[in-house]
Each structure stands twice: as C-alpha cells, then as structure tokens.
Amino acid sequence: MFVAFEKVFTAQNIGYLAKGALLSLAIAAISLLIGLVLGILGATGRRSKHIIPRTIANIYVTVIRGTPLLLQILIIFSVIPSIYTAFTGNILRINPILIGIIAMSINSGAYQTELIRSGINGVDKGQWEACETLGLNSWQMMKFVVLPQAFKRIVPPLISELITLIKDSSLISTIGAIELLKGAQVIGAQYYDVMSPYCIAAVYYLIMTFTVSLIGNYVEKRLAESD
Amino acid sequence: MIKVENIAKSFNTTTGSQLHVLKGVSLEIKKGEIVSLIGPSGSGKSTLLRCIHGLEKIDSGAIYMEDELMDPNDKKKYREQRNKMGFVFQHFNLFPNMTVVENCKLAQMNVLGRSTEEAEKVAMEYLEKVGLPDKRDAYPSTLSGGQKQRVAIARALCMNPEVMLFDEPTSALDPEMIKEVLEVMKDLGNQGMTMIVVTHEMGFARKVGNRVVFLEGGHILENCASEEFFSNPKTERAKDFLSKVFYD
C-alpha cells in the first residue's frame, strides 16, 4: 500500500502539503467571514416585517441548504465564465481558488443565516420588553442587548461551522484548486503511491480541525463564565 | 394622570380560537395614587397593566395620559408618553451581559442623552436608594432574586418616570426576599410616586396601597379604597377571593 512512503515523506513534500493545508485553512476562514456577513444579512431578511426581503432570504436558505455543496461549486465554476463570455465575448479563466471561496461563502452564509436567526430568537422575550419599557429603539436593542447575548449562543456552532468548512474545502480540488487534497493527489501521481500522501493529508486535516475545536472549547468556557 | 376607557384585548390561542382577556375595562389613576390590581389568575390584571404601557396593543377603547390620547400611530408623542412610565417585571429582565451600573446607565445615555458622568451619578443615586450601591460592578447572575428586583426598580427610576407600573414584582422571589422589595416600593410610594401594582401581596395592597381594583374574567368587579375593600367587600366574588387568600 505505502509503496513509496520513504520517497514521499521528505521535507520538500511535507512542506508542499503544509502549504496546501494553509491554503485550505485560509479558504475556510475567509469563507466563514464572508458567510458571516451573508448570514447577518440573511437573518435580518428572514426576521424582516416586509415580504420581499423575507422571501429572498427564505429562497436563499432553502436552495443552498437543499443542494450539495459540490454541485454549487461546479455550477458557479461554469456559470461565472459563461456570463462573462456572454457579456464581453471574451473567454475568462478565473482562479479556481476564488471560485471556491465564492461558492463556499454563499453556502456557509445560508447555514449561518439559520445559526444567527436561532441565536437571536433564543434571547428571552423579556429582554426585548425591558428594552421597550426603557425606551430604547430597535437598533439600540439589537446592538446593546440582543446581539451580545445572541453572539454567545452563536459562537460554539460557528466554530463547528469552521471545522465543516475546513473539511469541505477539499471539494474544490474537483475544479483544480491545489489545496491540501489536490496537493496530495499531485504527489501521489508523482510517486505512483496515493496512500502515503493521503495519510499525510489526513493528519494535516486532523491537526487543523482538532486545534480549532480546542480553541472552541476554550472560548465556550470563557463565555460561560460570565453567565 | 392615566385614564383607561373601555379597553378590550383578546389573544389568539394555539387552537385558533380567541381568548378575551379584557372585556371593556375603564379606570382612572390620579397623580400620587398607589393602585393595586388584584384578582385570581387569568383575570386580566397583568394584561391590563401591559396594555397601559403599550406592551400589548389594545383591540378597542382608549388610554389617556394627562388627558392626551395615547395613539401608537403618533410615534413621537407616543414614545414620549411611554417614557413617562417605568415598568418592573415579575422576572426582573435585567440585561445579563451588563453590570448593575451599566444596566442603569444604558437607557439614560441612549434615550435621554445623558453623559456618562451624569448617568453614573443618577444610577448611583438610585442604587443607593434601593440599598445596593456596593453591587454596582456585579453581574446580575451573581445577585439574589430580591437584589435583582431592586436593581430593576433602580433601573426604571433612573429614567425619571412619573408613574411606575409593577407586574407581580414579588411573585418570582423566595419568601425571605419579598419584604426587601416591598420596602423599596413603600418608600417610593411615601415619596409620592404614582404606582400601579399587580400583586398577590394583600398586606402591601392594604397597608401601602390607596385603592384596590379587583378584576375577574376581564371585568373590574370592585374599585374602591383599600381599607374598604378588605374590611367590607361588596361583591360575593371578592368576598370569596379574600376568604381564600387569607389563611386564618
């Protein structure tokens, strides 16, 4: 199985895969942040009194959560260049990493919409009423009272979302982005041994996800202290 | 000061039917009065109090504050009218993410536009009044129920309300904590604050309150001076209620 393990296990290859791992981590982190912005917009839309933003947000969440991420990546990978071609007549070759970040951000935004919405809904009704009787307006209620309390509920699931994104970033290997998994495949092809680089990649994924979950546990404990 | 005219309120139940909680209630509260709303559970006393503040929208009728209609559509004026009322909840509803003094300062600074120093001064003045100046930097989760409720009262007072509404302020407290909260309320009454209190504390209603409004099934059955209500209730329902709440 590990026919060429000694040949694969060199400082150069380990370093090459480490770069891939960092790229995967960066893609996941950036997608999480853009997803957070989309999530806040989505949650605002879903809680809106007006039907239009509410409908848009509902469709967004339903479509994105109801279809596979891999399919979303492939669709965006083919749709963006064709739109560009349709409008300009030129051929566009975009960076697959960029496509990956766009697709994963949109995907994560839908999940974060629901996280943030349930975090806000989880804040006790009495808190809103107390704000109301003190004369605070809805923006002040959100800023000073509701969001800080909702944030506490959102952080733990947000950290699991980051772990999911780190693992799911492997899906963009299918459109040619040389992240950790694709890097392992490249090395595998070089030495006619896929098992060795795959196992090294698995260790990298584990190190990343395990570290993030440790940080998550720490943050969760710190947040619980002020309860 | 506050006039309630023939208000009705109903809620939609989970089964889809309508629950009529207030069925045409009229009431007038004068400046400096301490009015106790009492009655059995489900009689509509809390709903009446919440309607007066506007936490619940009334279905029909009208509420006047200092002879001026409270109209939710006249947003600016309605807001000013509501800000003249302070509200104390059964479950305190302190902000758990802020310290005691921050709880008291938040609305002063953001609603009344007071400076930090000014808000701090007012907050400490009222914390002093409720006997908790040393808890200024404590988080609500570290306080006892009685302390939380006293902070909630201080927080409401910081907004300089002209009338205070209390919604069962001692119902969620341990028996030993009830008195400290009632004492604070009594002092407030002695200083001339207009108060409307939904309560099950008959001793408070009798000794501190000037007037009792007895509700049952969404109607006001009695509305008279406290002493008269307790010594000589007119309706059978009130007699029955009093015979059940007092254990001899």
Side-chain angles (χ1 to χ4, degrees):
Chain A
M1 272 205 315
F2 299 93
V3 285
F5 190 76
E6 311 79 52
K7 282 184 205 152
V8 172
F9 202 78
T10 60
Q12 193 198 355
N13 288 340
I14 297 293
Y16 178 73
L17 288 177
K19 266 185 209 155
L22 281 179
L23 182 61
S24 291
L25 187 64
I27 291 168
I30 294 169
S31 305
L32 185 81
L33 289 179
I34 301 175
L36 184 63
V37 176
L38 291 174
I40 291 169
L41 289 175
T44 312
R46 287 209 63 170
R47 295 179 45 83
S48 170
K49 273 181 278 184
H50 306 287
I51 186 146
I52 295 168
R54 209 168 58 227
T55 309
I56 293 172
N58 283 342
I59 292 172
Y60 170 53
V61 170
T62 309
V63 169
I64 298 297
R65 295 209 310 172
T67 54
L69 173 57
L70 180 55
L71 185 60
Q72 292 161 17
I73 292 170
L74 294 173
I75 287 177
I76 291 175
F77 185 57
S78 51
V79 157
I80 291 183
S82 11
I83 292 174
Y84 183 81
T85 310
F87 277 97
T88 63
N90 300 322
I91 291 167
L92 176 73
R93 274 206 58 83
I94 4 170
N95 185 342
I97 293 169
L98 188 62
I99 297 282
I101 289 174
I102 293 171
M104 290 191 28
S105 300
I106 292 174
N107 182 272
S108 181
Y111 285 93
Q112 291 190 50
T113 293
E114 289 302 272
L115 279 184
I116 293 166
R117 191 178 69 102
S118 69
I120 292 174
N121 288 351
V123 174
D124 182 38
K125 196 171 137 264
Q127 294 287 311
W128 299 85
E129 289 186 345
C131 292
E132 200 181 328
T133 60
L134 289 168
L136 295 167
N137 64 35
S138 32
W139 163 241
Q140 292 166 338
M141 285 186 201
M142 269 290 170
K143 184 175 158 198
F144 297 115
V145 177
V146 176
L147 285 182
Q149 290 178 52
F151 180 71
K152 250 181 155 176
R153 298 160 180 277
I154 295 168
V155 166
L158 216 54
I159 286 165
S160 1
E161 175 69 11
L162 179 59
I163 292 174
T164 305
L165 285 172
I166 290 173
K167 293 183 292 177
D168 285 355
S169 67
S170 62
L171 290 171
I172 63 171
S173 62
T174 54
I175 55 170
I178 305 182
E179 37 66 74
L180 181 53
L181 178 60
K182 187 76 183 172
Q185 286 172 335
V186 169
I187 291 179
Q190 242 170 43
Y191 298 92
Y192 300 104
D193 171 14
V194 286
M195 263 324 262
S196 306
Y198 279 177
C199 287
I200 297 169
V203 170
Y204 273 126
Y205 278 118
L206 262 176
I207 291 171
M208 291 192 287
T209 54
F210 189 63
T211 311
V212 171
S213 82
L214 280 184
I215 295 170
N217 289 344
Y218 173 76
V219 172
E220 211 171 317
K221 249 184 225 152
R222 285 297 304 272
L223 287 176
E225 273 167 15
S226 60
D227 274 335
Chain B
M1 165 140 211
I2 292 175
K3 203 163 105 194
V4 175
E5 229 173 52
N6 201 25
I7 63 168
K9 173 72 190 174
S10 57
F11 292 100
N12 294 320
T13 61
T14 44
T15 52
S17 60
Q18 289 259 307
L19 183 67
H20 297 277
V21 183
L22 295 177
K23 303 164 186 164
V25 169
S26 300
L27 179 67
E28 200 177 340
I29 292 122
K30 296 190 192 74
K31 203 165 177 56
E33 250 189 328
I34 301 171
V35 177
S36 311
L37 303 182
I38 65 178
S41 297
S43 59
K45 51 197 189 309
S46 280
T47 305
L48 173 57
L49 194 77
R50 291 168 60 84
C51 284
I52 292 174
H53 193 287
L55 284 170
E56 306 288 352
K57 303 267 169 288
I58 52 176
D59 298 336
S60 63
I63 298 169
Y64 297 88
M65 179 154 214
E66 288 161 340
D67 294 325
E68 286 190 88
L69 179 69
M70 289 189 66
D71 177 10
N73 296 321
D74 186 351
K75 290 213 169 88
K76 189 165 171 279
K77 189 168 163 201
Y78 186 61
R79 180 178 274 268
E80 281 168 13
Q81 288 170 321
R82 291 184 82 189
N83 286 353
K84 289 182 185 167
M85 295 185 258
F87 201 102
V88 175
F89 298 87
Q90 181 180 356
H91 295 287
F92 334 122
N93 295 341
L94 294 178
F95 306 131
N97 53 319
M98 295 174 207
T99 62
V100 164
V101 74
E102 284 166 354
N103 262 277
C104 295
K105 282 161 70 180
L106 178 71
Q108 290 191 63
M109 292 164 65
N110 289 286
V111 178
L112 303 179
R114 288 183 184 151
S115 67
T116 316
E117 299 76 33
E118 204 183 347
E120 173 90 26
K121 209 181 120 227
V122 175
M124 288 315 292
E125 183 187 318
Y126 285 108
L127 285 175
E128 208 97 39
K129 220 169 208 174
V130 301
L132 293 169
D134 52 323
K135 294 287 182 192
R136 66 177 305 263
D137 294 319
Y139 279 93
S141 58
T142 64
L143 304 178
S144 71
Q147 292 172 331
K148 282 182 196 170
Q149 195 60 295
R150 282 146 68 196
V151 172
I153 293 171
R155 180 176 72 176
L157 290 174
C158 284
M159 302 301 287
N160 302 115
E162 290 173 25
V163 50
M164 285 285 284
L165 313 183
F166 294 84
D167 188 5
E168 301 197 24
T170 58
S171 298
L173 299 178
D174 282 342
E176 288 172 283
M177 315 254 161
I178 292 176
K179 208 173 169 189
E180 62 186 58
V181 173
L182 293 180
E183 287 293 332
V184 167
M185 291 167 63
K186 186 180 159 189
D187 288 346
L188 201 55
N190 288 341
Q191 285 155 26
M193 177 64 81
T194 310
M195 305 205 281
I196 310 174
V197 188
V198 172
T199 186
H200 293 298
E201 295 300 324
M202 295 305 146
F204 179 85
R206 184 171 196 161
K207 287 182 202 132
V208 182
N210 313 124
R211 192 145 60 93
V212 167
V213 172
F214 179 74
L215 287 105
E216 153 85 5
H219 295 287
I220 291 180
L221 293 193
E222 301 214 15
N223 179 358
C224 57
S226 316
E227 202 43 52
E228 191 188 333
F229 176 79
F230 285 102
S231 56
N232 186 24
K234 285 190 263 337
T235 59
E236 280 307 311
R237 185 63 189 93
K239 277 179 201 164
D240 183 47
F241 178 80
L242 287 174
S243 74
K244 282 173 179 158
V245 293
F246 286 112
Y247 182 84
D248 295 315

